Amino acid sequence: MIETRGFAVHGTDAKFSPFNFERRDVGPNDILIDIEYCGICHSDIHQVKDEWHDMMPANYPMVPGHEIVGRVTKVGVGVTKFKEGDIAGIGCFVDSCRECPSCTTGNEHYCFKQAAFTYNGTEMDRETPTYGGYSKHYVIDENYAVKVNAEGDLSGVAPLLCAGITTYSPLKKFNVGPGQKVGVVGLGGLGHMAVKIAKAMGADVTVFSTSPGKEADAQKLGASGFIISRDAEAMTAAAGTFNFIIDTVSADHDVNPYIAALGIGGVLAFVGMPGSPNTIHQASLIMGNKVLAGSLIGGIPETQEMLDFCAKHGVTADVELISPDRIEEAYDRTVKSDVRYRFVIDMKNA
Ligand code: NAP
Ligand code: ZN
Ligand code: ZN
């Protein structure tokens, strides 16, 4: 076994402390990654605080982190995709059944037997707990890691492994591109990636935000429009004008104004996952041939495609790099929507 060190919580109080644990030895198809950077996703906060109790109950001690970038320092004898010294990324899952219709079509995240999530889950044996990227090392089967073809500062690449793929996947699926008006609801980690990626795809992007102070940033990120979602008049004026809206909001909110903002045949895709449900009148969809969609991260082939797309278009996350002793502060600020626009933990120097 390989001794390593991470940062864990032991209960819903979200208090982090150093945590020593072991990773498995490097098997024939495994790679060992020395983690350099790990992003803080709002999903980490939901799980640490057990806000998704009914869906994914919290298991403590929990070492969160599924936006991982690091250097490959050891490869198993059967490894072909990586060599020592390569940069690799790990996202939200580290294994799956490899046999079901989802796994065999590159949609491992929708594995019929449920993928092995990177943390707060188990390996496919359903016994061995998984610990995430707020740690120094990860051992993973090479088929579940992606290649990062970037050098220089990698801190802005780490968030692509969740925030990037989660927004890229529905934008791509619904053919966002030139001539389309795209709305992004919530300018946080996912939202700011959605703005950059939709803009790189050629769309005209508008941000819906509760934070008036983010308007200048939205423009810098590539948005041409900015609507304060609590301004009822502005929301009424936006009605019927969008081809596609992606909702990245982490907290409970009424989604009906965004259905109203769609034009005929428009699509509202949910990626943000707050705790409470919404009430929607069927007529609000029927009268405009509108579509509601949901999307979970992305599979390994599409994650690789997204990384290559972002490298080609020079897209990375805007990050605030922190040391592990500031994780609690970062959680508090993220919950208050005071994140510009992703906290990333410097594990290289931890
Ligand atoms: P984040 O950085 O905290 O951003 C969320 C944004 O939502 C905030 O910055 C804020 O933007 C807006 N917001 C917050 N409270 C609000 C409220 N009460 N009403 C309206 N808007 C509010 O979070 P994130 O990391 O981007 O994650 C967002 C959500 O996506 C989380 O629920 C997370 O679990 C989920 N997620 C889903 C997937 C997936 O596969 N589907 C993957 C990753 C994350 P403004 O200040 O602009 O209003
Ligand atoms: Zn995430
Ligand atoms: Zn499967």
Side-chain angles (χ1 to χ4, degrees):
M1 299 293 272
I2 297 168
E3 299 285 325
T4 190
R5 198 166 67 91
F7 295 87
V9 284
H10 297 267
T12 52
D13 61 359
K15 297 280 175 231
F16 280 86
S17 54
F19 177 66
N20 294 319
F21 64 105
E22 292 175 330
R23 298 286 186 193
R24 67 170 181 258
D25 285 327
V26 176
N29 302 112
D30 287 339
I31 57 173
L32 171 65
I33 297 174
D34 280 14
I35 297 173
E36 297 193 353
Y37 300 104
C38 184
I40 294 180
C41 177
H42 208 115
S43 302
D44 301 347
I45 303 175
H46 289 309
Q47 288 178 84
V48 161
K49 297 187 176 177
D50 207 15
E51 291 169 354
W52 288 347
H53 183 80
D54 295 339
M55 193 176 44
M56 281 179 157
N59 278 307
Y60 305 109
M62 189 193 302
V63 177
H66 59 207
E67 292 187 335
I68 302 167
V69 166
R71 202 167 286 273
V72 177
T73 50
K74 194 170 178 185
V75 298
V77 289
V79 168
T80 56
K81 196 161 97 178
F82 295 95
K83 59 180 187 328
E84 275 179 40
D86 283 352
I87 308 290
I90 303 176
C92 297
F93 57 93
V94 291
D95 203 354
S96 64
C97 86
R98 307 174 189 221
E99 290 168 358
C100 75
S102 290
C103 287
T104 51
T105 53
N107 292 295
E108 304 87 348
H109 51 312
Y110 296 123
C111 176
F112 284 30
K113 294 186 180 157
Q114 192 179 91
F117 292 111
T118 306
Y119 71 85
N120 193 34
T122 62
E123 298 285 354
M124 292 310 283
D125 65 9
R126 299 299 176 215
E127 281 177 12
T128 314
T130 51
Y131 296 117
Y134 299 6
S135 63
K136 296 289 290 177
H137 308 95
Y138 214 112
V139 176
I140 184 171
D141 185 304
E142 64 163 339
N143 293 310
Y144 289 82
V146 283
K147 288 197 83 151
V148 176
N149 293 312
E151 280 298 340
D153 183 9
L154 294 170
S155 59
V157 175
L160 302 182
L161 275 302
C162 176
I165 183 60
T166 301
T167 49
Y168 177 88
S169 185
L171 288 166
K172 173 94 190 294
K173 180 183 166 105
F174 293 104
N175 301 313
V176 161
Q180 293 209 327
K181 200 166 169 202
V182 167
V184 174
V185 189
L187 196 61
L190 265 58
H192 96 293
M193 290 313 310
V195 172
K196 290 190 183 202
I197 294 171
K199 171 82 177 167
M201 288 173 168
D204 177 31
V205 185
T206 291
V207 168
F208 293 94
S209 176
T210 59
S211 306
K214 292 181 181 173
E215 182 164 5
D217 286 347
Q219 274 169 9
K220 271 188 238 150
L221 293 165
S224 64
F226 188 84
I227 295 173
I228 298 297
S229 49
R230 289 184 174 137
D231 177 345
E233 235 172 78
M235 290 301 287
T236 304
T241 58
F242 286 84
N243 301 102
F244 178 88
I245 298 177
I246 182 167
D247 183 338
T248 75
V249 172
S250 51
D252 293 339
H253 62 292
D254 182 10
V255 303
N256 286 288
Y258 303 108
I259 297 176
L262 295 175
I264 307 294
V267 176
L268 172 57
F270 297 116
V271 289
M273 212 151 58
S276 308
N278 260 268
T279 300
I280 289 158
H281 199 297
Q282 291 91 322
S284 68
L285 300 173
I286 293 169
M287 300 311 285
N289 194 24
K290 297 176 183 179
V291 177
L292 287 186
S295 193
L296 175 72
I297 43 175
I300 294 294
E302 195 175 43
T303 303
Q304 189 65 61
E305 176 189 307
M306 174 277 308
L307 281 178
D308 298 343
F309 174 92
C310 288
K312 183 175 159 200
H313 292 273
V315 171
T316 55
D318 288 15
V319 310
E320 194 170 329
L321 195 61
I322 59 161
S323 50
D325 58 334
R326 292 181 58 206
I327 297 171
E328 290 163 23
E329 175 196 332
Y331 274 34
D332 289 344
R333 282 185 48 198
T334 301
V335 169
K336 288 182 195 144
S337 303
D338 178 22
V339 49
R340 312 257 172 145
Y341 278 89
R342 197 56 140 186
F343 287 104
V344 170
I345 308 168
D346 181 356
M347 289 307 311
K348 200 173 165 181
N349 298 304

